[in-house]
Amino acid sequence: MKKIFGVLGDPIEHSLSPAMHNAAFSKLGMDCKYHAFRVRQKDLKDAILGAQAMGFGGLNITVPHKEKALEFTNPDTLARRIGAVNTISFNDEIRGHNTDGLGAEMALREAGVGISSSNVVLVGAGGAARAIAFHFAEKGVCVTIANRTPEKAEALAEDVGCSHAGMEDLKELLQDSDILINATSVGMHPHIDATIASQEILHQDLAVFDIVYNPLWTKLLHQAELAGAKPIGGVAMLVHQGAEAFRIWTGQEPPVEVMRKVVLEGLG
């Protein structure tokens, strides 16, 4: 019988996950289908329990449900520390995972940028920033959280056990940093003229990773290119966090390049 997978969110209409995972299942000849389901927050528990009852192979969880989903799963250690779940597996229990941080690490590694022994400036204090910060901290990476609201940066840094700063300190922070990560929505369509940093404060020894993937080439990446830094776009993180979910559900190695191809096609 066909195994069903899905993503729960609200809104969900523009999710690229169905195309990405269905292409992977098709490539590997697996009798599986992945759907997007719009689920209101008050119905999230029923949706997760219903998916388990109906024998779903697994779920992804997206905004605004990642934090709430933690309540209805037995989260692994990392997901519990992050305080959010983006992947659910169904075996003997409803298990919660968070693959966003690994997706960010893999995106950097794919671009030839290792995170070990690196000084990382992470801009943002929301869900994506939390996932990246906790994952990197577990790898022993020196992370500094910078945010427009310093109190939020301080709160996240305290949770993670790393340092924090305000955006006014960004120029000074970047002088001795190896990697800059934008984990905010700044520069996302339709606000494509916004950026967290200009070329004047970037340098050629810096890798600049923007998790925004729409547009594919953000203003921040353009500024990085002008500064001679190494620009890295957000599609790779989207693909690799999905690929890790695929591994968790199926135990098989996902066809990453096939998944990337359909994501790029979906973004035009």
Side-chain angles (χ1 to χ4, degrees), residues 99-115 132 135-136 139 181 209 232-245 247 253-254 256-257 260:
T99 66
D100 284 334
L102 179 61
E105 179 189 355
M106 293 301 296
L108 287 162
R109 286 175 56 186
E110 185 178 83
V113 179
I115 64 172
I132 295 169
H135 179 82
F136 280 32
K139 298 283 186 175
I181 302 176
F209 175 34
I232 304 166
V235 164
M237 176 175 167
L238 175 67
V239 171
H240 282 292
Q241 63 80 27
E244 180 60 17
R247 291 186 189 95
E253 190 60 27
V256 172
E257 292 310 313
R260 190 195 318 273

Side-chain angles (χ1 to χ4, degrees), residues 111-259:
V113 179
I115 64 172
S116 60
S117 304
S118 294
N119 289 322
V120 177
V121 175
L122 176 62
V123 176
R130 285 188 67 86
I132 295 169
F134 276 104
H135 179 82
F136 280 32
E138 283 205 344
K139 298 283 186 175
V141 179
C142 179
V143 179
T144 300
I145 311 294
N147 194 59
R148 185 176 57 185
T149 307
E151 294 79 12
K152 291 184 177 179
E154 183 178 4
L156 176 55
E158 186 174 331
D159 289 345
V160 175
C162 64
S163 56
H164 63 90
M167 289 300 288
E168 68 276 7
D169 302 315
L170 192 58
K171 179 179 180 179
E172 183 179 353
L173 287 172
L174 291 178
Q175 290 176 1
D176 299 315
S177 297
D178 306 298
I179 302 170
L180 168 65
I181 302 176
N182 175 37
T184 76
S185 60
V186 174
M188 184 182 294
H189 181 82
H191 307 293
I192 60 174
D193 291 327
T195 181
I196 61 165
S198 62
Q199 68 175 102
E200 288 77 20
I201 68 170
L202 307 175
H203 57 82
Q204 62 183 8
D205 296 322
L206 191 68
V208 179
F209 175 34
D210 196 340
I211 75 166
V212 171
Y213 56 81
N214 186 11
L216 290 171
W217 199 253
T218 63
K219 185 171 182 178
L220 175 61
L221 297 180
H222 178 62
Q223 294 297 302
E225 188 176 45
L226 291 174
K230 187 181 189 71
I232 304 166
V235 164
M237 176 175 167
L238 175 67
V239 171
H240 282 292
Q241 63 80 27
E244 180 60 17
F246 190 96
R247 291 186 189 95
I248 290 169
W249 296 327
T250 69
Q252 296 200 41
E253 190 60 27
V256 172
E257 292 310 313
V258 170
M259 298 168 78

Side-chain angles (χ1 to χ4, degrees), residues 32-98:
C32 302
K33 194 69 175 177
Y34 187 110
H35 298 280
F37 299 94
R38 184 182 179 190
V39 174
R40 294 173 295 183
Q41 195 136 37
K42 69 181 185 66
D43 298 322
L44 182 61
K45 180 179 180 180
D46 290 340
I48 293 172
L49 293 177
Q52 181 194 37
M54 290 187 290
F56 274 40
L59 292 172
N60 284 133
I61 306 294
T62 190
V63 291
H65 301 322
K66 290 185 180 183
E67 292 79 15
K68 190 71 174 175
L70 197 76
E71 301 176 22
F72 313 126
T73 70
N74 178 14
D76 63 24
T77 302
L78 181 59
R80 189 186 302 278
R81 291 194 69 204
I82 293 169
V85 163
N86 79 335
T87 300
I88 293 176
S89 59
F90 300 113
N91 292 309
D92 297 331
E93 59 181 350
I94 302 175
R95 189 76 162 150
H97 316 265
N98 195 308

Side-chain angles (χ1 to χ4, degrees), residues 16-29 110 235 239-240 243 246 253-266:
L16 295 167
S17 293
M20 180 168 63
H21 285 289
N22 284 326
F25 291 137
S26 178
K27 176 67 175 179
L28 297 182
E110 185 178 83
V235 164
V239 171
H240 282 292
F246 190 96
E253 190 60 27
V256 172
E257 292 310 313
V258 170
M259 298 168 78
R260 190 195 318 273
K261 181 174 184 289
V262 297
V263 166
L264 291 172
E265 290 171 351

